[in-house]
Amino acid sequence: MVTKTPKMTDPKMTDPKITEKPNPALPSGYSGQQLVDLYKGMALIRAFDERQLKLQRSGRIGFCVVSTGEEAVQVGVAAALEKQDWIFPTYRQHGMILQRGVSVTDMANQLYGNANDRCLGRQMPVHYSFKEINYVSLSSVIGTHLSHAVGAAMAAQYKGDDAVMVTFIGDGGTSSNDFHAALTFAGVQKAPVVFYIVNNHYAISHPVEEQCAAESLHLKGVGYGIPSIKIDGNDLLAVHQATQEALNRARAGEGPTLIECDTYRMGPHSSSDDPTRYRDAAEQEAANKACPIGRFEKQLESWGLWDDTQDKALWTELEQTMVDDTNLSENVGEPTWESLFDDVYAEVPPALARQRDEFMARESQFPRENEGEFPL
Amino acid sequence: MVTKTPKMTDPKMTDPKITEKPNPALPSGYSGQQLVDLYKGMALIRAFDERQLKLQRSGRIGFCVVSTGEEAVQVGVAAALEKQDWIFPTYRQHGMILQRGVSVTDMANQLYGNANDRCLGRQMPVHYSFKEINYVSLSSVIGTHLSHAVGAAMAAQYKGDDAVMVTFIGDGGTSSNDFHAALTFAGVQKAPVVFYIVNNHYAISHPVEEQCAAESLHLKGVGYGIPSIKIDGNDLLAVHQATQEALNRARAGEGPTLIECDTYRMGPHSSSDDPTRYRDAAEQEAANKACPIGRFEKQLESWGLWDDTQDKALWTELEQTMVDDTNLSENVGEPTWESLFDDVYAEVPPALARQRDEFMARESQFPRENEGEFPL
Amino acid sequence: MATKTLLQGVNDALLQEMTRDDRVLVFGEDVGLNEGVFRATSELQKRFGKQRAFSTPLTETGIIGVAIGMALYGLKPVPEIQFADFMYPAFDQIVSELAKFRYRSGGEYPCPVVVRMPYGGGIRGGLYHSQSPEAYFCHTPGLKVVIPSTPADAKGLLASAIRGDDPVIFMEPKKIYRSVKGEVPDDEVLIPIGPARIAQTGTDVTLFSFGAMIPVCMEAAEKAHEKLGVSVEVVDLRTLYPLDEATIIESVQKTGRAIVVTESPKTCGYGSEIAALIAERALDSLEAPVVRVAGFDTPFPYTLEKLYVPDALRVFLAIQDVVNYQ
Amino acid sequence: MATKTLLQGVNDALLQEMTRDDRVLVFGEDVGLNEGVFRATSELQKRFGKQRAFSTPLTETGIIGVAIGMALYGLKPVPEIQFADFMYPAFDQIVSELAKFRYRSGGEYPCPVVVRMPYGGGIRGGLYHSQSPEAYFCHTPGLKVVIPSTPADAKGLLASAIRGDDPVIFMEPKKIYRSVKGEVPDDEVLIPIGPARIAQTGTDVTLFSFGAMIPVCMEAAEKAHEKLGVSVEVVDLRTLYPLDEATIIESVQKTGRAIVVTESPKTCGYGSEIAALIAERALDSLEAPVVRVAGFDTPFPYTLEKLYVPDALRVFLAIQDVVNYQ
Ligand SMILES: Cc1ncc(C[n+]2csc(CCOP(=O)(O)OP(=O)(O)O)c2C)c(N)n1
Ligand SMILES: Cc1ncc(C[n+]2csc(CCOP(=O)(O)OP(=O)(O)O)c2C)c(N)n1
Ligand SMILES: [Mg+2]
Ligand SMILES: [Mg+2]
């Protein structure tokens, strides 16, 4: 038997305040199918994250980051984007890759860093790059991608393209150098870019109240002349609608928007983190009740679009898919040793080719199964 | 005969709006003597700046930066400070050094980079350091000093000292990394620090409207939870009073304040700059009319504290003092060659001592009067 | 005397110095309640309170800038950068301010900040959790650069750094944070900043290295002895700047063969400095080229990390080369 | 063909490439209306408009970050950093992003940004308007580092950099912006990134250098010939990374004596790399130690700049040393 959200969170835990007020009328502008698809989008992410964590806990991948609790942000934004819009993510928006149709196996190849990984095993897990869906390669350095989004937006503007850039930053990341630089530039250039502050209340162990003394992070936008709002980041439709408005502004040449999504990091910061060191169970449990998935499922039910049987079937199927699809990445083998020297430059320069050739000529004879073992 | 403000600006050019409404009652809280002293403080800075520029134009010093038009900011703040308060300046607050009693000759020694320069000729002109008056050494790098002020404020707070740090940044400098970092830290730590944005409308050639899309720079404070105001930076008493309030808040443990001083850079950015390339005469002339010195002089007259004869005498005397005092720095000679190797570390480490000794043993025999001349 | 890890050596020094001197403050991302992502700051907030050991906003330039301000005011800040890879946002503060404050102020404003940062490979961290930026710091006059390779050195060098009057970049080899153990005196330990440590004496070839590469060198030396009958001297530089030139020159004069082992990219790496020093000052003693065993001139890879970081095999083969050189 | 300054060579390349390719954009502090504080961007805004040549807010990290974003989207940005000393606030973007984008994305996202910056002494700029940070860049895989020393090279190398597919740090020796003049072809010039230039052939000793030190080396070479009868080869490296190793090795094999002349602090400077390369690959050709003539391990001073920056005398004395070496 399969449990939906083993160990981490129960997506059915729902804020009672919300369940008490069911709204039988469909929200305007959405078809029933659309609403169900949005829900499925969130479930897909949750299932992927759970699989990631299992792979990591069982030592099959080295590291992972999950986005549990932040699915509404990812699905709400992705659903509003056009194909030509680019995503400049942090490590916690990988769910948007799934929304844009990349296969779970392709993502798992990255997690395994295997020979089929688009990035040839060069980056740590969760540092994806998928050019065909305009999901831009990210570093681990907090904040640096924000000005890339602005630059790309200026480029689109310059070329007359109808593309908008969306980019994400955590509550912690709002303190980074590049947050300041990116918003400064975007404001002055009226660049077609939407900034999302994903306020999940923690930067690893550091609570947002000690990150910034402002009453609300979205107030930062004021200092750059950028229209800014704060929304409930666990409210899928609020995210979707705020995004649509911001995209419309951007496409109309009215410049950037800053959207703070208030949410909560239900899981650990990463597989290396132990949140019990710095936040208590009560706080976490309370937050879990606001889980965007449980909440939206209740709404779907209240609209008559969904029931418990469908839900069970969905999660069962998702879990199986995840197992099957990620397993395909497991025995692929590592990238070729030569590949280590590619892509530093467009062409391997002579001095680097020399390093490669010497290394390959001599040391490639010695297998290196485990680091630190002397193979001779 | 001596003109007061040769070539640069006429301190008597005054905004007619102000002269039209004389106010015969002294502003409350100030004695007549105080008001006259404040005026003299501004005149001293203006006279010093004019002397600097002359020395530079005649090739006697290599470079200079003047603060013409920004005297009210410097005097207004300095007058409100206590001795134990520290100043973390940019290159355009050197007038505060004079306010704190350092001699013109000591300052000129720095401009000449001579053997009597406190900093041993190591820094470019205008990069002063005067520890005895808590005027902290500055680099040329825009913005970096702001977080030093915050750190020193946190240190004072930790030690229980009653000291407040004041620090300055230009309109351009508000875009620097460290502006963001410093305000973030100060907000969260409730550090006893006062930030001044000296908005003189230009960062070299770049107008403030293209520096930041916010309606006003002081709005930046909002994003850090720091109380912020904008004042007329050419209104000496406004600066003084806003500073007093901010200092009181800081001393009472209520944390930082951000004060935007709206002013205008009446002169060139530096002696290397030609402002006619990027701003027209009309704009400059209009701004000159708001000169804080001319304006305050009219006020003094309206209060019956000052007249034209006194004014003429003051400027004549100041100009002579400047000539006399800076001339003392002219023939001092350069720092010793050995001094080049000191103060990199508390003690000269062996490897560096070796560089020094080899150099001194061999090349010190060859005079190097002019760069690029072969002495052998 | 107890057997401790290198990480405990670091923690010991912090506990010791904070107990001794209440001007010592420790801060950085997650160093307070969470006690650091590697737990190097264990117990500090508990023992000394939130005023002296605290977590900061996510701004490295702020962390270093604030530390500088504290030092100017007379405190002894010991900020942590979570990973050396994340010091780049603070590079301006380090190069432009920390390194140059004393000099530019004619000695008026010393800046005794000790910046701790874990560095190097070994935790499968890929491009951004593995770098070894020591060469950048060593090319920056005004900074001292210290890297321990043993628990006792970690304690003694960090304590000396904190007591000194200069800025110190204290880089901790995270690969061996827990794997290297050794005796650490319970009492005060002070190991001077400056002198190298001869980890093993030898006569045929000298390995110069530091940090996490020391165990690698030791293994290679052992294998070289075992398989080639070669006597290898291993010099643990410990203080990278200012460098103990005398020990290096003497060792080369004795062995005639030098290999420098570093993790960072080869070009303009720290190995280049040692090689250049030898080529300048001990050329006539050389019986073979000075070999640099180093990371490649590529970013640091994830899956193939095992190839990138010099291992005992690579060092062993270099030893073989130089002893066979004609 | 006209006689032009190095600065005009730079400006020529920008005009030429912006005319040729409308994906080329130029921006930075004061580069628009003001045409750059050194006027390197003269005429650009007038000719190509504010969309293609514009001044930016005062944020170097923003300038480089935005340039990267433009490059990702297919443009060819050529941002200016006003002084090399002010690239440190952007160092994170340069090291973490610009240098590593192609690699980490498996080649999906090349990042052909050409970052121009004046560097070095010669304008009495003190600590913060005089630095030569080339070694930092050369130690950063993913970057190409190019420094011209003649007007024609400035034009040809910059044009090649802009046409290339890799990030290039293009450092301009501001000391000789106007003092060095030379013939510059009016037509398109493309000088390949990579090969060094032998500025003068010789047989007794080789000077390796680049940028503003080339005229200094030429003068020293002349004096050495005049006063000592020594035949000096001068190699202008031009491309510091990737390095033209073959030319260096060959020259040392011929002359047997090598001196590297650089402005930046000696320790871990670019001279160390050249010395190390020679000690590794041309040891047997050496008849004298490899000497580094460099700036001192101190910040860059104001009044005593004339002592700090290597001059012809210092280079001359080094030549004397190596030719007299027994
Ligand atoms: C420049 C930089 N400093 C530090 C780190 C280490 N680090 C990784 S994630 C993180 C916290 C980020 O918090 P936040 O921005 O709120 O994003 P979240 O993880 O909550 O999604 C830190 C400090 C980093 N990756 N980059
Ligand atoms: C980090 C950095 N970038 C660029 C420069 C070059 N620069 C010197 S002053 C200046 C403009 C500063 O403008 P603002 O902050 O408004 O101060 P103001 O000169 O108007 O007083 C610039 C760009 C610098 N010194 N530091
Ligand atoms: Mg967060
Ligand atoms: Mg300004």
Side-chain angles (χ1 to χ4, degrees):
Chain A
M1 221 228 67
V2 180
T3 55
K4 277 175 219 167
T5 48
K7 275 177 220 140
M8 286 183 55
T9 56
D10 178 356
K12 286 299 198 44
M13 285 172 78
T14 302
D15 190 337
K17 267 173 281 157
I18 290 159
T19 54
E20 276 160 21
K21 315 178 201 158
N23 174 8
L26 287 199
S28 85
Y30 297 91
S31 71
Q33 186 57 47
Q34 261 180 304
L35 294 166
V36 169
D37 286 348
L38 289 171
Y39 177 69
K40 287 184 176 170
M42 294 202 291
L44 180 64
I45 300 176
R46 178 71 54 96
F48 181 80
D49 280 346
E50 285 167 6
R51 180 69 188 156
Q52 271 199 84
L53 211 53
K54 272 198 189 157
L55 290 173
Q56 198 280 333
R57 295 294 186 228
S58 60
R60 293 160 73 185
I61 61 172
F63 174 82
C64 78
V65 168
V66 297
S67 62
T68 310
E70 302 175 28
E71 294 87 353
V73 175
Q74 300 173 75
V75 173
V77 177
L81 295 180
E82 300 291 337
K83 268 212 175 107
Q84 74 273 20
D85 301 332
W86 290 30
I87 300 169
F88 292 78
T90 77
Y91 44 76
R92 222 183 286 285
Q93 281 80 44
H94 51 270
M96 297 184 77
I97 302 170
L98 294 166
Q99 301 310 299
R100 291 199 147 191
V102 170
S103 75
V104 167
T105 305
D106 272 351
M107 291 181 69
N109 288 334
Q110 201 285 328
L111 297 177
Y112 279 90
N114 65 26
N116 289 342
D117 170 21
R118 186 71 58 88
C119 306
L120 298 164
R122 293 191 185 128
Q123 287 244 63
M124 271 179 93
V126 313
H127 293 68
Y128 305 96
S129 177
F130 289 105
K131 193 176 170 70
E132 73 276 24
I133 56 155
N134 295 326
Y135 191 91
V136 179
S137 163
L138 62 146
S139 73
S140 311
V141 186
I142 299 288
T144 43
H145 61 296
L146 297 171
S147 50
H148 307 162
V150 178
M154 288 167 65
Q157 199 179 36
Y158 171 71
K159 286 187 165 184
D161 292 355
D162 191 35
V164 179
M165 309 297 142
V166 298
T167 185
F168 298 81
I169 188 72
D171 43 303
T174 61
S175 298
S176 69
N177 293 340
D178 296 287
F179 178 86
H180 188 53
L183 272 79
T184 298
F185 252 97
V188 166
Q189 296 284 339
K190 284 204 163 226
V193 57
V194 186
F195 299 99
Y196 294 87
I197 298 177
V198 185
N199 180 357
N200 63 10
H201 290 244
Y202 285 91
I204 307 185
S205 70
H206 202 59
V208 65
E209 300 75 31
E210 297 177 33
Q211 186 69 239
C212 174
E215 269 168 59
S216 169
L217 295 177
H218 82 286
L219 294 175
K220 289 182 184 288
V222 177
Y224 308 98
I226 296 181
S228 306
I229 50 164
K230 178 174 192 145
I231 60 173
D232 179 349
N234 285 3
D235 180 341
L236 176 60
L237 299 186
V239 175
H240 186 238
Q241 286 156 21
T243 299
Q244 280 178 322
E245 268 181 55
L247 293 171
N248 289 343
R249 290 192 64 247
R251 286 193 225 283
E254 288 166 29
T257 306
L258 175 66
I259 300 176
E260 179 185 354
C261 300
D262 193 19
T263 179
Y264 190 81
R265 198 194 74 211
M266 289 166 69
H269 168 72
S270 74
S271 52
S272 315
D273 181 46
D274 172 10
T276 63
R277 293 180 67 87
Y278 53 81
R279 61 187 192 189
D280 56 29
E283 176 193 314
Q284 191 147 343
E285 213 158 291
N288 288 354
K289 292 208 178 113
C291 167
I293 293 185
R295 174 171 165 178
F296 199 63
E297 197 237 7
K298 287 272 169 259
Q299 289 182 297
L300 282 188
E301 285 185 24
S302 76
W303 295 322
L305 296 170
W306 197 247
D307 63 28
D308 211 48
T309 320
Q310 286 172 299
D311 203 49
K312 281 217 166 68
L314 173 67
W315 289 102
T316 308
E317 185 200 319
L318 279 175
E319 171 141 350
Q320 192 54 48
T321 309
M322 290 302 154
V323 172
D324 296 344
D325 291 359
T326 59
N327 278 351
L328 293 176
S329 303
E330 180 134 334
N331 297 312
V332 174
E334 65 188 25
T336 65
W337 287 18
E338 288 91 342
S339 72
L340 203 152
F341 301 88
D342 294 334
D343 299 323
V344 186
Y345 300 92
E347 286 165 29
V348 182
L352 183 56
R354 208 167 178 282
Q355 291 184 6
R356 178 194 60 202
D357 296 345
E358 283 183 7
F359 179 78
M360 292 306 293
R362 211 162 62 160
E363 288 165 74
S364 63
Q365 333 157 22
F366 306 102
R368 280 171 167 82
E369 290 315 330
N370 301 307
E371 255 174 275
E373 240 172 50
F374 196 75
L376 196 141
Chain B
M1 220 228 70
V2 181
T3 55
K4 277 174 221 167
T5 49
K7 274 175 220 142
M8 284 183 56
T9 56
D10 179 356
K12 287 298 200 44
M13 284 174 78
T14 302
D15 189 336
K17 267 172 282 159
I18 289 158
T19 54
E20 276 160 21
K21 315 177 198 159
N23 173 9
L26 288 199
S28 86
Y30 296 91
S31 72
Q33 187 57 49
Q34 260 180 307
L35 293 165
V36 169
D37 286 347
L38 289 170
Y39 176 70
K40 287 184 176 169
M42 293 200 291
L44 181 65
I45 300 176
R46 179 70 55 96
F48 180 80
D49 280 346
E50 284 167 6
R51 180 68 188 156
Q52 272 199 83
L53 212 53
K54 274 198 187 157
L55 289 173
Q56 198 281 331
R57 296 293 186 230
S58 60
R60 293 160 72 185
I61 61 172
F63 173 83
C64 77
V65 169
V66 298
S67 62
T68 310
E70 303 174 28
E71 295 87 352
V73 175
Q74 300 173 75
V75 173
V77 177
L81 295 179
E82 300 291 336
K83 268 213 176 104
Q84 73 273 20
D85 301 331
W86 289 31
I87 299 169
F88 291 79
T90 78
Y91 44 77
R92 222 182 286 284
Q93 280 82 43
H94 51 270
M96 297 183 79
I97 302 171
L98 295 165
Q99 301 309 299
R100 290 200 148 191
V102 170
S103 76
V104 167
T105 305
D106 272 349
M107 290 182 69
N109 288 333
Q110 201 285 327
L111 297 177
Y112 279 90
N114 66 25
N116 289 342
D117 169 21
R118 185 72 56 88
C119 307
L120 299 164
R122 292 190 186 129
Q123 287 245 63
M124 272 180 92
V126 313
H127 293 68
Y128 305 96
S129 178
F130 288 105
K131 193 175 170 71
E132 72 277 25
I133 57 155
N134 296 326
Y135 190 90
V136 179
S137 163
L138 61 147
S139 74
S140 311
V141 186
I142 300 289
T144 43
H145 60 297
L146 298 171
S147 50
H148 307 162
V150 178
M154 287 166 65
Q157 198 179 36
Y158 171 71
K159 285 187 163 184
D161 292 355
D162 191 35
V164 179
M165 310 297 142
V166 298
T167 185
F168 299 81
I169 188 72
D171 43 303
T174 61
S175 298
S176 69
N177 292 341
D178 296 288
F179 177 86
H180 188 54
L183 273 79
T184 298
F185 251 98
V188 166
Q189 296 284 340
K190 284 206 161 223
V193 57
V194 186
F195 299 99
Y196 294 87
I197 297 177
V198 185
N199 180 356
N200 63 11
H201 290 244
Y202 285 91
I204 308 185
S205 70
H206 202 60
V208 65
E209 299 75 32
E210 297 177 33
Q211 186 70 237
C212 174
E215 269 169 59
S216 169
L217 295 177
H218 82 285
L219 294 176
K220 289 183 185 286
V222 177
Y224 307 98
I226 297 181
S228 306
I229 51 165
K230 178 173 193 146
I231 60 173
D232 179 349
N234 285 3
D235 180 341
L236 176 60
L237 300 185
V239 175
H240 186 238
Q241 286 156 19
T243 300
Q244 279 178 323
E245 266 179 58
L247 293 172
N248 289 343
R249 289 192 64 248
R251 286 192 226 284
E254 289 165 30
T257 306
L258 175 66
I259 301 176
E260 179 185 354
C261 300
D262 193 19
T263 180
Y264 190 81
R265 199 193 74 209
M266 289 167 69
H269 168 73
S270 75
S271 52
S272 315
D273 180 47
D274 172 10
T276 64
R277 294 181 66 87
Y278 54 81
R279 61 187 192 189
D280 57 29
E283 175 193 314
Q284 190 147 344
E285 213 159 289
N288 288 354
K289 292 206 178 115
C291 168
I293 294 184
R295 174 170 165 178
F296 199 64
E297 196 237 8
K298 287 276 170 254
Q299 289 182 296
L300 282 188
E301 285 185 23
S302 75
W303 295 322
L305 296 169
W306 196 247
D307 64 27
D308 211 48
T309 320
Q310 287 171 299
D311 203 50
K312 283 220 165 67
L314 172 67
W315 290 102
T316 308
E317 186 202 319
L318 279 175
E319 171 142 348
Q320 193 53 50
T321 310
M322 290 302 154
V323 172
D324 297 344
D325 290 0
T326 59
N327 279 351
L328 293 175
S329 303
E330 180 135 334
N331 297 312
V332 172
E334 65 187 25
T336 65
W337 287 19
E338 288 92 342
S339 73
L340 203 151
F341 301 88
D342 294 334
D343 298 325
V344 187
Y345 299 91
E347 286 166 29
V348 183
L352 183 55
R354 207 166 178 282
Q355 291 184 5
R356 178 194 62 203
D357 296 345
E358 283 183 7
F359 179 78
M360 292 306 293
R362 212 163 60 161
E363 288 165 74
S364 64
Q365 331 155 23
F366 306 102
R368 280 170 168 83
E369 290 314 331
N370 302 306
E371 254 175 276
E373 242 171 49
F374 196 77
L376 195 141
Chain C
M1 199 109 113
T3 300
K4 293 191 171 172
T5 64
L6 197 149
L7 189 62
Q8 286 168 326
V10 169
N11 186 245
D12 269 14
L14 295 173
L15 284 165
Q16 169 188 303
E17 293 306 302
M18 290 182 82
T19 304
R20 186 187 58 81
D21 183 352
D22 64 11
R23 295 172 309 158
V24 179
L25 264 61
V26 169
F27 49 94
E29 292 154 16
D30 304 290
V31 310
L33 187 56
N34 201 35
E35 301 185 330
V37 295
F38 291 99
R39 312 288 177 247
T41 54
S42 285
E43 299 295 314
L44 302 187
Q45 189 169 89
K46 262 179 228 149
R47 297 257 294 263
F48 303 104
K50 226 184 146 169
Q51 273 219 299
R52 294 188 61 199
F54 57 95
S55 297
T56 66
L58 205 168
T59 163
E60 286 78 13
T61 195
I63 292 166
I64 303 301
V66 157
I68 291 171
M70 289 177 171
L72 298 175
Y73 201 83
L75 300 185
K76 287 279 204 165
V78 188
E80 172 180 302
I81 298 289
Q82 199 163 83
F83 285 83
D85 312 68
F86 304 139
M87 68 81 191
Y88 299 115
F91 199 62
D92 189 31
Q93 283 288 353
I94 294 173
V95 169
S96 302
E97 302 296 328
L98 185 59
K100 297 181 172 63
F101 232 113
R102 179 191 286 271
Y103 193 75
R104 77 178 191 227
S105 66
E108 282 199 332
Y109 287 103
C111 225
V113 174
V114 179
V115 184
R116 293 182 41 251
M117 57 180 85
Y119 85 95
I123 62 156
R124 304 205 65 197
L127 286 83
Y128 301 104
H129 293 82
S130 310
Q131 291 170 82
S132 299
E134 67 279 355
Y136 296 136
F137 299 127
C138 292
H139 188 50
T140 307
L143 302 177
K144 292 184 172 176
V145 183
V146 176
I147 303 185
S149 78
T150 70
D153 275 4
K155 180 172 181 183
L157 289 166
L158 181 53
S160 294
I162 295 172
R163 295 198 194 182
D165 292 321
D166 291 311
V168 177
I169 307 294
F170 193 84
M171 297 173 64
E172 299 167 5
K174 61 178 177 287
K175 181 194 169 96
I176 57 170
Y177 254 160
R178 294 189 167 87
S179 63
V180 162
K181 296 189 183 71
E183 301 275 278
V184 178
D186 297 324
D187 302 343
E188 202 170 278
V189 200
L190 288 173
I191 294 173
I193 309 289
R197 177 179 72 94
I198 299 188
Q200 168 177 316
T201 56
T203 53
D204 299 330
V205 52
T206 312
L207 300 179
F208 296 102
S209 194
F210 51 84
M213 290 296 100
I214 294 297
V216 171
C217 289
M218 296 299 280
E219 186 189 351
E222 193 193 307
K223 297 291 178 192
H225 189 252
E226 194 183 303
K227 295 187 194 282
L228 310 171
V230 170
S231 163
V232 180
E233 178 145 309
V234 178
V235 176
D236 178 356
L237 297 168
R238 298 201 293 200
T239 297
L240 274 66
Y241 196 94
L243 185 57
D244 183 352
E245 298 182 351
T247 297
I248 295 170
I249 306 290
E250 266 168 46
S251 183
V252 175
Q253 283 167 344
K254 177 172 69 172
T255 63
R257 295 179 189 85
I259 296 169
V260 203
V261 183
T262 58
E263 293 181 56
S264 65
K266 183 173 179 180
T267 297
C268 285
Y270 194 73
S272 308
E273 178 56 32
I274 304 294
L277 177 73
I278 294 169
E280 202 164 48
R281 306 258 307 277
L283 185 75
D284 295 335
S285 307
L286 283 181
E287 288 165 42
V290 183
V291 171
R292 288 169 288 166
V293 176
F296 304 116
D297 285 357
T298 75
F300 195 104
Y302 175 69
T303 303
L304 297 178
E305 166 166 5
K306 61 190 169 188
L307 306 186
Y308 188 89
V309 179
D311 57 9
L313 172 70
R314 209 188 305 173
V315 178
F316 173 87
L317 294 175
I319 295 172
Q320 201 169 39
D321 281 353
V322 297
V323 295
N324 292 338
Y325 185 80
Q326 313 277 9
Chain D
M1 198 110 113
T3 299
K4 294 192 170 170
T5 63
L6 197 149
L7 189 61
Q8 285 168 326
V10 168
N11 186 245
D12 270 15
L14 295 173
L15 284 164
Q16 169 188 303
E17 293 305 302
M18 289 182 83
T19 304
R20 185 188 59 81
D21 183 352
D22 64 12
R23 294 172 309 157
V24 179
L25 266 61
V26 169
F27 50 94
E29 292 154 15
D30 305 290
V31 308
L33 188 56
N34 201 35
E35 301 184 332
V37 295
F38 291 100
R39 312 287 176 249
T41 54
S42 284
E43 298 295 316
L44 302 188
Q45 188 168 89
K46 263 180 227 147
R47 297 258 293 265
F48 303 103
K50 228 184 145 169
Q51 273 219 300
R52 295 189 59 199
F54 56 94
S55 298
T56 66
L58 206 167
T59 163
E60 287 77 13
T61 196
I63 292 167
I64 303 302
V66 158
I68 291 170
M70 288 176 171
L72 298 176
Y73 201 83
L75 300 185
K76 287 279 206 166
V78 187
E80 172 180 302
I81 298 289
Q82 198 163 82
F83 284 83
D85 313 68
F86 305 140
M87 68 81 190
Y88 299 115
F91 199 62
D92 188 31
Q93 282 288 353
I94 294 172
V95 170
S96 302
E97 301 296 328
L98 184 60
K100 298 182 172 62
F101 232 113
R102 180 192 284 273
Y103 193 75
R104 76 176 190 228
S105 66
E108 282 199 333
Y109 287 103
C111 224
V113 174
V114 178
V115 184
R116 293 181 42 250
M117 57 179 85
Y119 84 94
I123 63 156
R124 303 203 67 195
L127 287 82
Y128 301 103
H129 294 81
S130 309
Q131 292 170 82
S132 299
E134 68 279 355
Y136 296 136
F137 299 128
C138 293
H139 188 49
T140 307
L143 303 177
K144 292 183 172 176
V145 184
V146 176
I147 305 185
S149 78
T150 71
D153 276 4
K155 181 173 181 183
L157 289 166
L158 180 53
S160 293
I162 294 172
R163 296 200 194 180
D165 292 321
D166 292 311
V168 177
I169 307 294
F170 193 84
M171 298 174 64
E172 300 167 5
K174 61 178 177 285
K175 181 193 168 98
I176 57 170
Y177 254 161
R178 293 190 168 87
S179 62
V180 162
K181 295 188 184 71
E183 301 275 278
V184 177
D186 298 323
D187 302 343
E188 202 171 277
V189 200
L190 288 173
I191 294 173
I193 308 290
R197 177 179 72 92
I198 299 188
Q200 168 178 314
T201 55
T203 52
D204 299 331
V205 52
T206 310
L207 300 179
F208 296 102
S209 193
F210 51 85
M213 290 296 100
I214 293 297
V216 171
C217 289
M218 295 299 279
E219 186 189 352
E222 192 193 307
K223 297 290 176 190
H225 188 251
E226 195 183 303
K227 295 187 194 283
L228 309 172
V230 171
S231 163
V232 179
E233 178 145 309
V234 179
V235 176
D236 179 357
L237 297 168
R238 298 200 294 197
T239 297
L240 275 65
Y241 195 93
L243 185 56
D244 183 352
E245 298 183 352
T247 297
I248 296 170
I249 307 289
E250 265 168 45
S251 183
V252 175
Q253 283 168 345
K254 177 171 69 172
T255 63
R257 295 179 189 85
I259 297 169
V260 203
V261 183
T262 58
E263 292 182 55
S264 64
K266 184 173 179 180
T267 297
C268 284
Y270 193 72
S272 307
E273 178 57 32
I274 303 295
L277 177 73
I278 294 169
E280 201 163 48
R281 306 257 307 276
L283 185 76
D284 295 334
S285 307
L286 283 180
E287 288 166 41
V290 184
V291 172
R292 287 169 290 166
V293 176
F296 304 116
D297 285 356
T298 76
F300 195 104
Y302 175 70
T303 303
L304 297 177
E305 166 166 5
K306 60 189 169 189
L307 306 186
Y308 188 89
V309 179
D311 57 9
L313 172 70
R314 212 192 299 174
V315 179
F316 173 89
L317 294 175
I319 294 172
Q320 201 169 40
D321 281 354
V322 297
V323 295
N324 292 337
Y325 185 82
Q326 312 277 9

